[in-house]
Amino acid sequence: MEELCSFNTSATPGGIDVSGILFAGLISTLVSTQNQLGNPEDYPRDATSLLLPEYDFVVVGGGSAGSVVASRLSEENKWKILLLEAGGDPTPTSDIPAFAINLQKTKIDWQYRTEPQQGMCQGFRDKRCNWARGKVLGGSSVINFMLYMRGMKGDYDKWAQDGNYGWSFDEILPFFKKSEDMTYKPLLQSRGNISYHATGGPLTVEKANVGHYKESFKRAVIEMGYEWLEDINGERQLGFGELFGTLRDEIRCNAAKAFLSPVKDNDNLHVVKYAHVTRLLINETTKTAYGVEFQHNNGHIYTVKSRKEIILSAGAINSPQILMLSGIGPKDHLEEMGINPIIQNLSVGENLQDHLAFYGSAFNIKDSQFSHLPTPSEQDLYYNFLMKRSDSLTNIAITDMTGYIKTNISTSDDRPDLQFNFCVIFANDTKSLSLISQSFGYDSETHTSLLQLIQLADLLFVSPVLMRPESRGRLLLKSTDPFTHPRIFPGYLSDPDNKDIDTLIQGIEFSLKFMETKEMKSKKGIQRKVYIKNCDDLEINTRAYWECALRHIGVTLFHPSGTCKMGPKSDPNAVVSPELKVYGVKGLRVADASIIPTIVSGNLNAPTIMIGEKAADMIRKEWESKDDTAH
């Protein structure tokens, strides 16, 4: 999921109530408009009644990677494909960009929470961070904030240098482009010898509609000496630039809409919704995966066999959980949980990584013409959105711009190591603030502190995001019950050399310099201290205070990855090969964000879709060759 910063999510400075969109008259309008939202005809019909005993390929998980894999494999008419998804169709409200935050803690969110760990998430309820993940066809692409960012060339080149052949930037760029339908024409021009974008793919990418402050923030970073980048996914990332999103005609273009809608009538593709996979079926003697067991929401338990392969695309939390429940994982942990038989001893659940963000560098902006704008009625707001695609319901509702800086902590290469979001919540917008507090899980005292601050003026958060953390977490089973959430230990800020903290503190120092620019001084920005109980006795702008604040309210960017690490056979921690095959088990691959060996320097939705594209390409080439040989 994209980073959460809904401080600008309210459609107007007064905020809106998402329940307003659900009244009967609005639904009637939705049905009558040519650009219908949440149209069930956009998605494949449930095929439970058509279920076959055997398929060529079974894909587990219909999210950002699984949708791609199933779609691309179904292009080969001679193969029969089954896609199993634990959720149902995306809801109408999920199509509206500004409503992204409202989707958390609903039926289309798995609603995960991390386990308490010393030194992280200390300022949230029960000292646990909330981890939203999409439980819906399209996965987290349905509930994320739609930012389209690929990461940096050096990220993928490092993968290849570490033994993951075929995954260098030059080798994976064609798969990014294969998916893409870029609508912003200036980016379609070649840059030197490389063209970074393409048209005609199933995933529509548009220039994002953002908030009111972008031009001011742009002038401020240019004043600081940073380059303004037209293409944040182009040759360079050091600097700041425009935002692009997975949007189609200013509504969300989720992965299911992009990849499954075009093939929804293919006879060789069956999609079963509300199918919770409980385990993989593996021959203990030959160590061959031959089928899947799942429970449908009708209460029935089904088993389906695969003739060729099972592709596990359930995400960085569910994929390792399913593997461990099936006897693939750390031997000691599986024995402790009483799992038998143990099929393969692999480091499943280790290497957990996430992007950590900090929303504690806060400033009131006294000189603002935006918080006094007239507020249209909710009915007018909905009408203008539905009929004209106007008003700020089309905003991606996350940040007015983004960009990267490089600190002096990162000395290994030239890649920037901090991303920034610039997030505004308008004065007196208590509705958005309440949604934010609920999403993050702030305790009541911190929430009250923020309420006091937004009564003074617009509230700006200049938020650094740690791109390549040294820290690692892990995921363990809590129970052998497949319906029980696993135990998530995020491991934030746990690196022994404190490099992660040092990097983020330099990001906080950047925010203070940003507010000292002439542009931001003209806005009469005033630094504020967010109340954090255990940090309140410390003086602001000291290292002790910022470290305390980071350990209390440093928060997830919803980018879990790495729990089924890709690596060469010589890597003792690798779970899958560069072909994404699970080591020691035949007929089984993993294709989702869990295979990422080291997290990329940007939002993970586009890279996860790329992983799906490359996985499908490798599978098709291998089996087309085998089929040709067999004939």
Side-chain angles (χ1 to χ4, degrees):
M1 182 175 181
E2 311 299 334
E3 55 262 290
L4 171 61
C5 181
S6 295
F7 301 93
N8 205 12
T9 61
S10 59
T12 64
I16 64 171
D17 181 359
V18 70
S19 63
I21 199 170
L22 299 179
F23 59 80
L26 178 60
I27 295 297
S28 297
T29 304
L30 293 177
V31 173
S32 67
T33 59
Q34 62 178 354
N35 295 318
Q36 183 181 4
L37 303 183
N39 184 356
E41 296 302 316
D42 285 341
Y43 305 105
R45 296 180 181 178
D46 184 86
T48 305
S49 62
L50 304 174
L51 201 62
L52 302 174
E54 190 174 57
Y55 291 82
D56 291 289
F57 298 95
V58 178
V59 182
V60 178
S64 295
S67 292
V68 181
V69 173
S71 174
R72 295 303 191 189
L73 293 181
S74 74
E75 292 172 356
E76 181 55 69
N77 293 328
K78 64 184 178 182
W79 294 337
K80 292 192 177 297
I81 318 299
L82 174 64
L83 175 62
L84 300 172
E85 167 53 45
D89 289 342
T91 57
T93 50
S94 71
D95 273 351
I96 302 177
F99 283 176
I101 192 172
N102 302 84
L103 305 173
Q104 295 188 24
K105 299 185 182 300
T106 67
K107 67 178 183 179
I108 61 174
D109 174 13
W110 282 94
Q111 303 184 40
Y112 291 116
R113 300 185 74 198
T114 65
E115 295 294 307
Q117 278 187 276
Q118 193 66 33
M120 64 198 79
C121 303
Q122 298 297 291
F124 301 108
R125 287 188 292 275
D126 304 323
K127 298 183 179 180
R128 303 172 73 187
C129 281
N130 295 330
W131 276 23
R133 308 305 302 151
K135 187 180 183 181
V136 60
L137 203 65
S140 294
S141 73
V142 176
I143 67 173
N144 69 3
F145 288 82
M146 293 153 281
L147 289 190
Y148 183 82
M149 299 179 75
R150 296 172 175 174
M152 301 177 189
K153 182 179 188 298
D155 299 334
Y156 302 103
D157 289 347
K158 181 69 165 57
W159 291 8
Q161 290 165 15
D162 290 342
N164 294 295
Y165 48 84
W167 291 88
S168 69
F169 180 77
D170 289 345
E171 291 169 303
I172 57 91
L173 178 59
F175 295 106
F176 278 117
K177 293 169 65 177
K178 183 178 182 179
S179 292
E180 187 182 46
D181 186 21
M182 170 57 73
T183 63
Y184 186 60
K185 292 183 180 179
L187 297 195
L188 296 174
Q189 302 169 4
S190 295
R191 303 293 192 270
N193 296 322
I194 298 178
S195 176
Y196 287 93
H197 297 281
T199 60
L203 182 70
T204 308
V205 180
E206 295 179 349
K207 192 173 181 179
N209 187 17
V210 296
H212 296 291
Y213 277 97
K214 187 194 81 172
E215 291 304 320
S216 288
F217 297 161
K218 175 181 177 180
R219 288 191 291 268
V221 294
I222 291 174
E223 183 182 332
M224 295 176 75
Y226 287 96
E227 182 180 0
W228 184 255
L229 303 171
E230 184 179 46
D231 185 6
I232 204 74
N233 293 304
E235 182 179 0
R236 297 182 304 281
Q237 282 74 47
L238 180 60
F240 294 82
E242 303 281 1
L243 292 168
F244 292 84
T246 48
L247 301 159
R248 181 179 294 166
D249 297 327
E250 298 187 281
I251 65 173
R252 180 190 296 272
C253 182
N254 67 62
K257 186 184 297 184
F259 292 94
L260 294 178
S261 181
V263 299
K264 62 185 175 66
D265 296 322
N266 287 10
D267 292 337
N268 67 332
L269 173 64
H270 286 172
V271 178
V272 175
K273 305 168 190 177
Y274 301 106
H276 190 117
V277 171
T278 53
R279 66 185 177 111
L280 307 175
L281 305 178
I282 303 172
N283 185 303
E284 183 180 356
T285 302
T286 64
K287 293 192 176 182
T288 301
Y290 66 88
V292 171
E293 178 185 275
F294 68 92
Q295 183 169 325
H296 196 265
N297 71 341
N298 62 16
H300 293 164
I301 296 175
Y302 298 83
T303 59
V304 177
K305 293 183 178 180
S306 63
R307 282 186 286 266
K308 290 180 168 62
E309 287 190 25
I310 299 165
I311 300 96
L312 193 54
S313 297
I317 298 174
N318 295 89
S319 284
Q321 181 185 24
I322 292 170
L323 286 175
M324 288 191 282
L325 289 171
S326 306
I328 302 170
K331 183 173 182 290
D332 291 346
H333 177 54
L334 299 187
E335 288 177 342
E336 177 188 0
M337 298 303 299
I339 291 175
N340 186 50
I342 296 176
I343 302 296
Q344 191 70 16
N345 179 21
L346 294 171
S347 297
V348 175
E350 303 294 330
N351 193 47
L352 175 60
Q353 299 160 72
D354 185 22
H355 289 137
L356 186 70
F358 181 62
Y359 295 99
S361 191
F363 307 87
N364 276 130
I365 300 177
K366 287 286 190 179
D367 187 9
S368 169
Q369 70 271 37
F370 304 120
S371 55
H372 304 293
L373 293 173
T375 304
S377 69
E378 289 184 8
Q379 287 84 352
D380 287 343
L381 201 63
Y382 301 141
Y383 177 83
N384 288 336
F385 172 77
L386 293 169
M387 306 306 294
K388 305 176 185 178
R389 288 293 183 265
S390 60
D391 286 317
S392 50
L393 288 183
T394 62
N395 284 5
I396 63 166
I398 179 172
T399 177
D400 283 12
M401 68 176 190
T402 194
Y404 295 93
I405 71 168
K406 187 180 189 307
T407 72
N408 61 21
I409 306 301
S410 178
T411 58
S412 58
D413 57 41
D414 294 331
R415 283 176 292 168
D417 51 350
L418 281 177
Q419 183 184 358
F420 277 87
N421 294 314
F422 298 79
C423 315
V424 178
I425 179 168
F426 287 122
N428 298 311
D429 185 359
T430 57
K431 292 181 180 179
S432 287
L433 182 62
S434 295
L435 285 170
I436 294 156
S437 289
Q438 179 184 1
S439 175
F440 283 162
Y442 287 135
D443 64 28
S444 60
E445 292 168 312
T446 298
H447 174 63
T448 299
S449 169
L450 292 170
L451 280 175
Q452 293 169 347
L453 293 181
I454 65 165
Q455 291 173 16
L456 301 174
D458 292 356
L459 188 59
L460 165 66
F461 294 83
V462 182
S463 306
V465 183
L466 185 65
M467 285 290 93
R468 295 184 299 281
E470 297 287 333
S471 302
R472 295 291 186 270
R474 66 189 308 209
L475 182 146
L476 297 171
L477 294 177
K478 182 181 292 184
S479 165
T480 55
D481 179 359
F483 293 91
T484 299
H485 287 177
R487 303 176 70 195
I488 301 168
F489 298 93
Y492 298 133
L493 307 176
S494 61
D495 66 299
D497 296 327
N498 289 326
K499 284 187 176 181
D500 291 350
I501 288 175
D502 293 342
T503 303
L504 283 165
I505 288 177
Q506 286 201 20
I508 295 166
E509 292 169 350
F510 168 91
S511 72
L512 300 177
K513 294 174 183 176
F514 173 83
M515 296 304 294
E516 286 297 312
T517 60
K518 292 180 181 179
E519 175 66 27
M520 296 313 297
K521 280 186 175 180
S522 72
K523 303 297 180 186
K524 300 178 182 177
I526 301 173
Q527 185 182 18
R528 300 297 187 186
K529 186 178 183 181
V530 177
Y531 180 79
I532 307 167
K533 182 177 180 180
N534 292 337
C535 309
D536 197 50
D537 292 339
L538 300 171
E539 183 179 350
I540 195 171
N541 294 335
T542 62
R543 180 184 174 87
Y545 173 77
W546 290 126
E547 179 171 349
C548 182
L550 285 164
R551 293 193 180 280
H552 278 75
I553 61 172
V555 68
T556 177
L557 264 290
F558 306 103
H559 297 161
S561 59
T563 48
C564 298
K565 182 185 180 184
M566 175 176 63
K569 197 169 185 178
S570 58
D571 182 350
N573 298 314
V575 175
V576 301
S577 71
E579 293 86 7
L580 307 186
K581 296 180 178 181
V582 176
Y583 281 115
V585 182
K586 300 172 187 175
L588 179 61
R589 299 194 207 215
V590 181
D592 54 34
S594 70
I595 66 96
I596 291 175
T598 51
I599 195 167
V600 301
S601 308
N603 305 65
L604 288 194
N605 191 49
T608 303
I609 289 171
M610 178 276 292
I611 289 167
E613 287 279 22
K614 183 167 172 59
D617 184 74
M618 290 189 291
I619 294 166
R620 289 185 67 172
K621 286 180 177 176
E622 178 176 332
W623 284 100
E624 285 169 355
S625 174
K626 288 181 178 179
D627 289 350
D628 290 343
T629 302
H631 287 94

